[in-house]
Amino acid sequence: MCIRDSVIRRPSLVLALLTALNLLNFVDRYVLAAVLPKVRDELHLSNFVSGLMATVFLAGYFMTSPIFGFLGDRMRRTALITFGIAVWSLATFASGLAHTAGTMLFFRAIVGVGEASFTSIAPTIIDDVAPKEKKGKYLAIFFVAQPIGAALGYLLGGAIEHAYGWRYACLLYTSPSPRDRTR
């Protein structure tokens, strides 16, 4: 079944939704980099283990991207994207709850798995729905969210860490504010 036959029939809405999700994807990815010195201090991580955070993320991402590409040709891509969003969101949230190097490394690898699902499949959906003469423009809009999301990840992560601590930078979208927890 082609995405054109699905509920969303307006290509611009598909583009807007996937671009917004791509922006959030990169905000999530770079929040940890903004707060890493505080994470390292609180969890008593060596520089080596701190550096492994990015490595395990990339390992999860690179090892599963081909799997999601393969599955994207055989399954409903919207279901695979939904799975990816849920996985990366839950793993980012769980990163904020980590109290050991091992759990933090595990959750960072899982963030990579979730992001692999989304980034392997979203451009193919955009390619399917974009008018032929606008495919390049649609993909450019989708991909410009990556550097903007990365910059926002650093800015938001640093601001939230400064105000509430590094854990809230990871819990940003899903937890109540710190003030609500004291009531």
Side-chain angles (χ1 to χ4, degrees):
M1 176 172 142
C2 180
I3 193 79
R4 291 183 194 275
D5 298 329
S6 69
V7 176
I8 300 177
R9 289 187 171 85
R10 295 187 52 204
S12 58
L13 289 177
V14 173
L15 175 63
L17 175 64
L18 292 177
T19 301
L21 289 167
N22 200 28
L23 182 84
L24 290 175
N25 178 8
F26 276 79
V27 169
D28 278 356
R29 186 182 298 188
Y30 283 91
V31 160
L32 183 64
V35 301
L36 190 57
K38 297 291 184 176
V39 174
R40 184 177 52 234
D41 292 346
E42 185 177 323
L43 298 183
H44 308 289
L45 306 176
S46 67
N47 286 337
F48 176 76
V49 173
S50 297
L52 278 179
M53 300 284 178
T55 303
V56 299
F57 165 82
L58 289 172
Y61 185 91
F62 290 138
M63 289 189 312
T64 58
S65 288
I67 296 167
F68 288 115
F70 175 82
L71 293 174
D73 289 337
R74 288 154 183 80
M75 296 175 62
R76 277 189 63 226
R77 290 177 290 163
T78 52
L80 290 169
I81 283 181
T82 302
F83 168 80
I85 294 165
V87 167
W88 104 55
S89 298
L90 291 171
T92 299
F93 182 86
S95 296
L97 303 176
H99 288 282
T100 67
T103 55
M104 180 61 91
L105 290 169
F106 173 76
F107 290 129
R108 293 312 295 170
I110 301 303
V111 170
V113 171
E115 288 191 20
S117 174
F118 177 79
T119 58
S120 296
I121 297 167
T124 67
I125 292 175
I126 291 171
D127 187 60
D128 282 352
V129 301
K132 185 175 181 170
E133 67 280 358
K134 293 184 179 180
K135 287 182 186 289
K137 179 180 178 180
Y138 273 43
L139 288 170
I141 291 168
F142 173 78
F143 284 114
V144 81
Q146 293 176 350
I148 295 169
L152 285 173
Y154 275 105
L155 291 171
L156 292 172
I160 293 166
E161 182 276 319
H162 180 74
Y164 302 111
W166 73 265
R167 292 183 185 281
Y168 284 98
C170 295
L171 305 174
L172 170 69
Y173 298 108
T174 52
S175 72
S177 78
R179 287 171 222 174
D180 293 342
R181 290 184 181 236
T182 60
R183 292 182 185 159

